Amino acid sequence: MSQQQPTRSRPSRFPRPDASMSLLTNVMEHSLDDGYAEAAARRNEVGRSRMPRTVRAKLGLAGGLVLAALVVTVGAAQARVSAPTIAKEKQELIHRIESGGKDADRLQKDVNRLRSAVEAEQRAALEKHGDARGRTTALLAGDTPVKGPGLKLVVDDAKDSGSGHGDGPRDSDGFADTGRIRDRDLQRVVNGLWAAGAEAVSVNGQRLTSRSAIRAAGDAILVDNKPLVPPYTLLAIGPGQKFSRTFQDSVDGQYLYVLHKDYGARTSISVEDEVRLPAARSLILRTAKPVRTGKGNNAS
């Protein structure tokens, strides 16, 4: 009896090209983990809305919204009610400032008038009882206005200079950090003018005396406690061209030239046929002696 041979399937002549890349094929066909897929399906069934679903939660949300709206409404109402009061107080403050400024101007005029009267009395007394030494002393002390030939020197900050933000007039001690004129720079220029032979000096209309102080307060330069703003105009009475050459050739004149050349400070100097300087405002009579008139022993 003949035995039938078992039938065997023949292997495919051409195997699948990705048979050797089963791992990559599985990753491509199942890019999302089964757990993530189930969670995404549940979320789609429930819905994406996160609004509260219970009655208590809904009431709580509504109460919170009402409270927030109430706070905003009350704040707006208070701001509207207080606005006229604030405006009124602001207007009153402005009025007080303007009134105080007018009072200060009036008092300053009275001070100037009284100072002029005192100066006239002093000049009359000097002419009657004094001599040339008294007039010279008053001139050198800055007690009287003066005029004569001299120099006009203008010193200003560099164009790209910025304001300092430190405790002093600069962020640091270096001029190049800000390009601004410092109180020490102005001191050197003024001392240079005195050393060159100046008979009288003023800065922005402030007459300088032997007791004058130039210092810094914040970003401002103070001359006798009065703040000045650039440009700084210095007027000095002296012998014209010779005075100018002496100052510019001095150490302090060269210092000013370096500020202009290396750090951008703006400077100009000119010889004037006549400059006028006011009397100093900070003079105080501290001592006085009686003069001999020939009548009696001493008479004031």
Side-chain angles (χ1 to χ4, degrees), residues 136-159:
T136 302
T137 301
L139 175 64
L140 296 178
D143 188 45
T144 58
V146 292
K147 63 179 180 179
L151 295 181
K152 179 180 180 182
L153 178 60
V154 180
V155 184
D156 199 357
D157 298 334
K159 282 187 177 181

Side-chain angles (χ1 to χ4, degrees), residues 57-94:
K58 292 180 178 179
L59 291 176
L61 178 60
L65 293 175
V66 170
L67 181 60
L70 181 61
V71 171
V72 172
T73 303
V74 171
Q78 289 180 348
R80 178 175 296 181
V81 171
S82 60
T85 304
I86 295 176
K88 183 178 179 181
E89 293 177 353
K90 181 180 179 180
Q91 191 63 33
E92 291 179 354
L93 181 59
I94 293 175

Side-chain angles (χ1 to χ4, degrees), residues 45-275:
E45 292 177 359
V46 175
R48 296 179 179 272
S49 177
R50 296 186 178 182
M51 294 295 291
R53 299 183 177 279
T54 63
V55 176
R56 173 175 291 183
K58 292 180 178 179
L59 291 176
L61 178 60
L65 293 175
V66 170
L67 181 60
L70 181 61
V71 171
V72 172
T73 303
V74 171
Q78 289 180 348
R80 178 175 296 181
V81 171
S82 60
T85 304
I86 295 176
K88 183 178 179 181
E89 293 177 353
K90 181 180 179 180
Q91 191 63 33
E92 291 179 354
L93 181 59
I94 293 175
H95 177 71
R96 289 174 58 188
I97 293 174
E98 293 177 349
S99 178
K102 292 179 181 179
D103 293 341
D105 293 340
R106 178 177 53 80
L107 292 175
Q108 185 62 48
K109 290 180 180 179
D110 293 341
V111 170
N112 293 337
R113 179 176 54 80
L114 294 174
R115 180 181 289 114
S116 299
V118 171
E119 291 174 354
E121 293 290 339
Q122 289 178 345
R123 285 193 294 270
L126 288 174
E127 291 176 359
K128 183 177 180 180
H129 301 290
D131 52 16
R133 291 183 302 173
R135 288 188 290 272
T136 302
T137 301
L139 175 64
L140 296 178
D143 188 45
T144 58
V146 292
K147 63 179 180 179
L151 295 181
K152 179 180 180 182
L153 178 60
V154 180
V155 184
D156 199 357
D157 298 334
K159 282 187 177 181
D160 55 351
S161 63
S163 298
H165 300 289
D167 294 333
R170 304 293 182 272
D171 287 338
S172 69
D173 291 337
F175 178 91
D177 291 345
T178 60
R180 297 185 60 199
I181 298 297
R182 303 170 298 180
D183 56 327
R184 284 170 290 177
D185 303 327
L186 207 58
Q187 289 173 5
R188 291 202 60 168
V189 173
V190 169
N191 289 335
L193 291 173
W194 287 121
E199 299 174 7
V201 180
S202 69
V203 181
N204 284 18
Q206 287 286 107
R207 179 79 172 272
L208 302 182
T209 67
S210 59
R211 301 181 62 86
S212 295
I214 300 176
R215 60 186 184 87
D219 289 338
I221 294 179
L222 304 184
V223 175
D224 289 336
N225 294 324
K226 181 181 180 180
L228 305 181
V229 295
Y232 307 104
T233 301
L234 293 86
L235 299 178
I237 292 181
Q241 292 289 348
K242 180 181 178 181
F243 180 31
S244 177
R245 288 194 300 269
T246 303
F247 169 72
Q248 295 186 62
D249 293 340
S250 66
V251 175
D252 296 316
Q254 293 298 315
Y255 175 82
L256 183 62
Y257 176 73
V258 170
L259 293 184
H260 167 68
K261 181 181 178 181
D262 296 345
Y263 301 110
R266 291 170 287 179
T267 63
S268 66
I269 185 170
S270 60
V271 178
E272 303 290 332
D273 293 334
E274 181 179 280
V275 293

